[in-house]
Amino acid sequence: MELPRFHRLRRAYYRLEGTACRACGAIAFPPRPACAACRSADISPHLLSGRGRLYSFTRVAQPPRGFASMAPYAVGMVRLEEGPLVTAQLADSEGEDLAIGMPMEMVTRKIRDACENGLIVYGYKFRPVIRPDGSPSGALDPRPDTRVSDTRPGTSAPGTEP
Amino acid sequence: MKTTLPVGIIGYGACVPRPRVRTAAIAAAWGRTGAARPPVAEKSVPWLDEDTATMSIEAARNALARAARAVDPPKAATLVEDLRAVWVGTESKPYAVKPTSTIVAEAIGAVPWVSAADFEFACKAGSEAMQAACAYVGSGMAPLAMAIGVDAAQGKPGDHLEMTAAAGGAAFLFGAAGEAIAVVEASFSHVGDTPDFFRRQHLHYPEHGHRFTGEPSYFTHSLAASRRLLESLGRSAADYAYAVFHQPNPRFPRKVAKELGFGDRQVAPASVVDRIGNTYSGSSLLGLAAVLDVARPGDRIFFCSYGSGAGSDAMSLVATPRLPRARDAAPSVADYIARRLPIDDYGQYLRLADGVRRL
Amino acid sequence: MRKVDVIGIGQTDVREHWARSLRDLAVEAVEAARRDAGVERVDAIFIGNMAASSLCGQANLASLVADACGLLPVEAVTVEAACASGGAAVRAAYLAVAGGAADRALAVGVEKMTDLLTDGVTSALATAADADYEAAHGASFVALNALLMRRYMHEHHVRREDFAPLAVLSHQNALDNPRALYRQPMTADDYARSPLVADPIGVLDSAGIADGAAAVVLSATAPERRSKRPPVRISGSASATDTLALADRRDPLHWTAVGHAAGAACRMAGLRPKDLDLFELHDAFTIVTALTLEACGFADRGTALKLAAEGRLARDGDLPICTLGGLKGRGHPVGASGVYQVVEVVQQLRREAGKAQVKDARVGLAQSVGGSGSVAVAHVLQI
């Protein structure tokens, strides 16, 4: 498996590190050697926040080679809050209603089957945010037998344009 | 044991995966429906794309998010630059040879000026890392050091530990006590070579000594370490608002707590096992995180882990006024526990369990 | 630049040709084109092929085709532009003749897709996408188009069923093409019930995997030459690119490369879009048809599906598309499709399309698209 290739990609893959143009301020992901907006080569690494909104999604039933272990999985495009659009698998979406416009956050997960030699490839995925309203944390329910409500299908986030 | 420079927890973060396997489905698969009720109703397992590395990364990011609120504003921007160690304690390393810690360090941007290694001491690998992180900071070697305890535990199919072996854990960022959300007062480790639970590298599932894992193992070490710490501080259980113990099942931590004089009110807030099972190296650390989610400034917190092999790390902490403002920067343990994907089918559980083992 | 004519065409059936190799298919198409043109030798061969390296373990098709067709030591080269490789090969042949480097050039598109299992084919096709930022994340080609289709449905308030007329049309037209892969009719009901591959894309939204080869012989215009068939003029030829990754587009639903290529080819031919009598477009997925029609200015954003619903895209409509089945009906051996499109326009202009004939066809547009709209090659042909 391509050890050098994935090693080169690690900062973009693990942390969503893109580039920022010092000349015009445009932020890019994936990282680019020159600015797409103004063509300047005066660029620096820029860590994107990982927050964004779901632009589109699909569930892949017939995976390409190397993804059988994950199937079926969801793929989507997310409009990051800094502007760029990014294509990625959608994590934690089993049993979830996905909706265009829902707020998403970046997580680092295994993105494919392990390679023949065992190499694990980690990379960015996006999932519906855990606490979209930033509500305060709570205590654990002290009564162990108490059921909490399931995160079942039927609840979808309000759709707003990403 | 006390550090030269006062040390504390600057940030903490948890991670528990969404899938929850109903233990009734496991019991039914093995024809045990007539038997006693399972010790826990459900247990957390990682989804196909999760493992110890991914859960450690999420816990570490949550810890950094809280740390950024805890410290004085100028420091928030340079947290990662001041981090000199990232240590992951686990018994479910994705690679037998290759550190999980470097994956985490890379993912949080802590490379390259950082120590990184994986710790193993069964369920107390995470608290070992905590001890080491205290020492790194307390000796003046490092401004910040991170200790993580996470597991994606595997139970042998058909064995009763299959009913409790779970996934999850927490990360703790240690730094100067002056900026901490909880100060570390002292700690002790108590260890002896005890074969209560172990796994050879070439075998997939651990072996355990059934009743031998109780009194001569868990209780011997937990009690010894806890008593020594209390004596050295001249304290009793009554001096503490909370007590956190290793939680292989709901009974053991309550029993050891009772023997030391702690009541249910002190222990219950830490009880994650009841809800998600035994997260091994994550267990006592998740319990501590759950306590930090609710503790008030000034609350004393007693902590004693246990790891088979065997030993315990006991630690005494005090929550500070910085805790409330840092707390809401990341999801709580309760938030993680509340978001569930119920798995009622043993076959699907096997697919997920196989995924951790083989992928 | 000299004027260039198509003086010969050839094509194989589009099938799962279990018994025939890449070589066999290429030779059959080339031989048919040479017979049709009445010529033995050419000055250059341009092979359109996307993925023989992965699908057949064979690169260096330049030598393979020249050798197998008995044309050594002719100049030859493979042209690759993902699924537009065939169109790109035609353009390369056009440029060679127009520029005077060759008096006669052969463009042959060939693809052998059925030697690998499906997951291997999907992986090979995924190399048309961005390797590091699409394919590596399991965003298969179908998945990328599914993302577009869902977004289109969201932005323009259409339902999956509204795409059915496009799929039905392709299959309807293929019934009259003896070369076509699919020769059974398909109803809107079949479409609605078809299994989903990557929702909302179903099996019947997408072109199938098959083998085939098609070839054209191009010649510098020579009015004094005797030929069996009337020459068809290439009056416009253009190509354009867009970002490789879909997420890097300013607006993923606006396929500018497709618009630029078609527009430039039409301008070169001195035509407006409404002058066209037919449009062999790249209907790899029904969403691609919709986006192509809008990008080329045949419909306003979000309204392309109405053209289908109103019957305007049928052979007797005002803009016939996919007249012999298109990629969906005739089939899509990826590197060959672009040449099949040109062959089909020529058939129409020569009045050789049989039951599939578009009445009074005098000028047609063929457009081949690679990746998810990342490269487009367009040719205008007229008689």
Side-chain angles (χ1 to χ4, degrees), chain A residues 5 9 12-13 30-32 55-62 64-65 67 73 75-77 85 87 89 100 111 124 161-162, chain C residues 119-120 122-123 131-133 135-140 143-144 146-147 150-151 154-155 196-199 246-248 251-252:
Chain A
R5 174 187 171 207
L9 290 166
Y13 272 26
R32 300 184 77 98
Y55 174 91
S56 188
F57 61 94
T58 182
R59 290 191 196 272
V60 175
Q62 287 177 13
R65 201 177 268 168
F67 294 87
Y73 55 87
V75 165
M77 288 167 85
L85 199 55
T87 300
Q89 287 175 40
I100 290 178
I111 63 170
Y124 52 82
E161 289 308 317
Chain C
D119 69 338
T122 313
S123 297
D132 291 338
Y133 295 101
H137 295 264
S140 65
L144 291 170
L147 293 174
R150 170 163 273 118
R151 183 71 194 187
H154 172 84
E155 282 193 21
L196 294 176
V197 177
D199 68 303
L246 212 46
D248 290 346
D251 176 355

Side-chain angles (χ1 to χ4, degrees), chain B residues 71-96:
Chain B
V71 300
D72 299 325
K75 283 268 191 67
T78 57
L79 279 177
V80 153
E81 281 155 46
D82 289 337
L83 189 51
R84 286 288 162 271
V86 177
W87 291 317
V88 175
T90 181
E91 56 184 273
S92 49
K93 284 160 63 66
Y95 294 89

Side-chain angles (χ1 to χ4, degrees), chain B residues 206-225:
Chain B
E207 297 293 330
H208 62 94
H210 296 262
R211 290 189 60 79
F212 183 68
T213 65
E215 200 264 303
S217 313
Y218 179 95
F219 291 97
T220 295
H221 292 283
S222 300
L223 289 170

Side-chain angles (χ1 to χ4, degrees), chain B residues 225-304:
Chain B
S226 298
R227 283 179 178 138
R228 176 83 194 265
L229 181 61
L230 287 169
E231 273 161 34
S232 75
L233 291 169
R235 298 234 184 89
S236 72
D239 296 317
Y240 288 88
Y242 300 100
V244 182
F245 295 96
H246 174 53
Q247 306 167 40
N249 55 60
R251 273 189 315 110
F252 277 24
R254 285 177 170 84
K255 186 160 177 238
V256 77
K258 193 158 168 225
E259 287 226 26
L260 292 165
F262 293 104
D264 195 60
R265 233 167 31 95
Q266 292 161 299
V267 171
S271 297
V272 293
V273 63
D274 315 53
R275 312 297 300 286
I276 60 169
N278 176 8
T279 54
Y280 286 53
S281 300
S283 175
S284 50
L285 276 68
L286 266 177
L288 178 57
V291 161
L292 290 171
D293 286 339
V294 296
R296 288 167 307 185
D299 281 348
R300 280 206 191 85
I301 303 165
F302 190 85
F303 171 92
C304 184

Side-chain angles (χ1 to χ4, degrees), chain A residues 14 120 122 125 131 150-151, chain B residues 49 51 61 95 330 335 340:
Chain A
Y14 291 5
I120 302 171
Y122 297 98
K125 295 190 183 184
R131 283 161 63 217
D150 296 358
T151 39
Chain B
D49 61 355
D51 64 9
R61 285 182 176 148
Y95 294 89
D335 289 332
R340 294 163 58 240

Side-chain angles (χ1 to χ4, degrees), chain A residues 32-89:
Chain A
R32 300 184 77 98
C35 182
C38 74
R39 290 205 178 70
S40 167
D42 188 13
I43 49 139
S44 58
H46 182 91
L47 192 67
L48 283 90
S49 72
R51 287 184 297 272
R53 288 193 177 267
L54 193 59
Y55 174 91
S56 188
F57 61 94
T58 182
R59 290 191 196 272
V60 175
Q62 287 177 13
R65 201 177 268 168
F67 294 87
S69 64
M70 308 259 158
Y73 55 87
V75 165
M77 288 167 85
V78 176
R79 174 74 69 189
L80 300 173
E81 61 183 12
E82 296 91 340
L85 199 55
V86 59
T87 300
Q89 287 175 40

Side-chain angles (χ1 to χ4, degrees), chain C residues 208-220:
Chain C
I209 289 173
D211 310 324
V216 291
V217 180
L218 305 188
S219 173

